[in-house]
């Protein structure tokens, strides 16, 4: 490594400089205040945990994205957190262990060995909220509503919401008695969203005409949410064990359409993101001109059981840095006050008073202060605020 190279940051690792760093911090405070207003208590999980705890209840993808180190005290493997959600689930199950509904929020940097996508950072600032203890669709509706409102608070415009349901695919797979290998093959076909190939596979592997029709319906079930009602009804008739999941989706669509008429809502039952982790409704928010989801989440009821305390759970997360870059939320800039160098104790007292009032007060160490609109000047022994 040459002298010039030693200052280069690794690929996918970014540093935030003024004034963007200030904007991100202002947005962080604003959004956490909003989550607090919604009843979500702030928690700060550790950045480093024992690996077996950190990866409990998660899929293989998270394991591959996790930086691993050896603890010099115990000799055990530790990991840098790549996703806050499993840690918050542990906090709910053990550290807090509340009865009934629990609402938790967080905002911190997580670390990825590889970026999640071409647009993603390896050190996203993950902000999110988790809702525990509510098994009905009311919990999903609340968490999606909080997510969409959070995006509004960030100044994100033109939001499109995409809904899926891992539970529907699980119900169909169980009804068909698919092996793990068959589920994996079908999962890969559905990800490609090729209805013809999916139907050919189903007709080759299954004999039940109702299940063949059901899987064919799922493979083609993408589009405007309100236009899929008849398909939902038919799918529930073909596979009754999926009826509740489909009814919940319909209820969620109706509630969200009423609450957020400006948000376009589509459904995609081939969207099986986090299949090894999620258990029910999954969702993601998109905006024009950006190729990744700006926020996403879903239900993950089984994770708590891995910590010894099964709890219904749903939540969402987003990268605060992405929200700051794409959002239009504006914050009032502080007024800057320039102060001359002086040993007068009264000057320091005047500076402290102005800072307490919210001014940005800066001493002129090397000349004029750029951007200063006011300055402290001495008049008859008194320090007064005047225009710069």
């Amino acid at each position: 490594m040459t002298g010039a190279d030693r200052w280069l940051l690794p690929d996918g690792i970014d540093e935030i400089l003024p004034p963007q760093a200030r904007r991100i911090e202002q947005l962080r405070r604003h959004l956490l205040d909003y989550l607090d207003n919604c009843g979500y208590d702030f928690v700060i999980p550790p950045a480093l945990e024992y690996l077996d705890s950190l990866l409990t209840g998660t899929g293989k993808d998270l394991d591959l994205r996790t930086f691993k180190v050896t603890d010099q005290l115990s000799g055990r493997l530790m990991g840098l957190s790549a996703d806050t959600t499993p840690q918050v689930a542990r906090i709910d199950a053990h550290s807090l262990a509340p009865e009934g509904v629990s609402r938790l929020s967080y905002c911190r940097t997580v670390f990825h060995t590889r970026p999640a996508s071409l647009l993603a950072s390896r050190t996203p600032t993950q902000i999110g909220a988790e809702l525990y203890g509510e098994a009905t669709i009311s919990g999903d509706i609340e968490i999606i509503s909080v997510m969409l409102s959070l995006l509004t608070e960030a100044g994100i415009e033109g939001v499109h919401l995409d809904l899926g349901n891992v539970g529907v695919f699980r119900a169909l797979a169980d009804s068909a008695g698919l092996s793990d290998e068959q589920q994996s093959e079908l999962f890969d076909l559905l990800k490609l969203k090729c209805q013809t190939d999916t139907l050919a596979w189903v007709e080759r592997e299954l004999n039940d005409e109702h299940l063949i029709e059901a899987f064919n319906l799922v493979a083609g079930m993408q589009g405007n949410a309100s236009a899929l009602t008849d398909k939902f009804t038919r799918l529930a008739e073909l596979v009754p064990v999926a009826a509740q999941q489909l009814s919940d989706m319909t209820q969620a669509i109706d509630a969200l359409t009423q609450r957020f008429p400006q948000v376009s809502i589509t459904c995609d039952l081939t969207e099986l993101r986090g299949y090894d982790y999620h258990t029910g409704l999954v969702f993601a928010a998109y905006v024009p001109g950006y190729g990744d989801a700006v926020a996403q989440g879903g239900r993950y009821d089984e994770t708590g059981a891995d910590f010894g305390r099964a709890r219904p759970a749903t939540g969402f997360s987003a990268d605060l840095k992405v929200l700051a870059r794409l959002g239009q939320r504006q914050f009032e800039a502080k007024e800057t006050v320039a102060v001359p160098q002086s040993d007068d104790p009264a000057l320091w007292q005047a500076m402290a008073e102005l800072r307490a009032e919210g001014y940005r007060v800066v001493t002129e160490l090397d000349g004029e202060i750029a951007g200063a609109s006011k300055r402290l000047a001495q008049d008859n022994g008194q320090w007064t605020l005047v225009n710069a």
Side-chain angles (χ1 to χ4, degrees), residues 307-333:
F307 292 106
R309 188 167 182 257
R311 294 266 283 170
T314 183
F316 74 88
S317 66
D319 184 348
L320 179 67
K321 290 182 285 191
V322 172
L323 300 186
R325 186 165 72 249
L326 300 179
Q328 301 301 313
R329 166 66 64 177
Q330 299 298 318
F331 297 97
E332 185 176 351

Side-chain angles (χ1 to χ4, degrees), residues 34-294:
Y34 177 75
L35 290 174
D36 184 68
N37 291 345
C38 293
Y40 287 78
D41 294 320
F42 185 58
V43 295
I44 307 176
L48 193 65
E49 279 199 51
Y50 288 125
L51 198 63
D52 49 3
S53 171
L54 195 63
L55 298 181
T56 296
T58 65
K60 185 171 67 174
D61 287 348
L62 189 61
D63 185 9
L64 295 174
R65 293 210 313 268
T66 300
F67 282 101
K68 300 173 179 68
V69 297
T70 300
D71 182 12
Q72 297 298 307
L73 296 181
S74 67
R76 295 172 59 184
L77 271 179
M78 302 178 75
L80 284 168
S81 176
D83 183 10
T84 310
T85 301
Q87 294 179 281
V88 179
R90 175 186 55 75
I91 289 173
D92 174 75
H94 285 294
S95 302
L96 294 176
E99 296 297 330
V101 171
S102 171
R103 295 175 173 88
L104 301 175
S105 66
Y106 54 86
C107 184
R108 42 82 75 96
T109 298
V110 293
F111 307 89
H112 295 167
T113 56
R114 294 178 179 274
S117 70
L118 292 175
L119 297 176
S121 166
R122 293 169 68 193
T123 55
T125 303
Q126 191 179 51
I127 185 169
E130 312 294 333
L131 175 63
Y132 299 98
E134 179 54 60
T136 71
I137 192 62
S138 297
D140 302 86
I141 293 172
E142 174 176 320
I143 205 72
I144 297 173
S145 297
V146 171
M147 180 188 77
L148 293 175
S149 298
L150 190 85
L151 295 179
T152 299
E153 291 295 322
I156 302 291
E157 300 176 348
V159 174
H160 166 79
L161 178 67
D162 187 54
L163 299 176
N165 198 316
V166 172
V168 172
F169 178 79
R170 290 184 186 274
L172 266 66
D174 291 344
S175 297
L178 298 183
S179 66
D180 290 343
E181 182 180 354
Q182 287 176 312
Q183 287 191 43
S184 180
E185 291 177 2
L186 185 55
F187 176 85
D188 290 339
L189 287 172
L190 289 173
K191 279 199 304 184
L192 296 175
K193 304 188 187 301
C194 180
Q195 189 171 3
T196 303
D197 290 347
T198 301
L199 179 59
W201 185 95
V202 170
E203 289 178 337
R204 184 180 70 249
E205 298 290 333
L206 302 180
N207 296 319
D208 188 305
E209 292 298 324
H210 284 176
L211 287 173
I212 291 174
E213 182 184 349
F215 277 111
N216 191 38
L217 276 174
V218 168
M221 204 171 287
Q222 305 104 24
N224 185 276
S226 59
L228 297 175
T229 304
D230 291 342
K231 288 187 176 182
F232 280 2
T233 301
R234 178 56 181 161
L235 188 56
E237 293 171 352
L238 292 168
V239 188
V241 292
Q244 186 60 54
Q245 295 277 8
L246 293 164
S247 175
D248 287 347
M249 284 196 72
T250 301
Q251 186 177 341
I253 292 165
D254 291 342
L256 295 169
T257 299
Q258 292 177 15
R259 292 181 180 184
F260 304 95
Q262 77 282 10
V263 174
S264 65
I265 303 176
T266 57
C267 286
D268 183 357
L269 289 187
T270 66
E271 176 51 65
L272 301 175
R273 172 179 47 82
Y275 177 68
D276 294 332
Y277 177 68
H278 288 298
T279 58
L281 196 67
V282 293
F283 47 88
Y286 298 89
V287 294
Y290 190 71
D292 283 344
V294 294

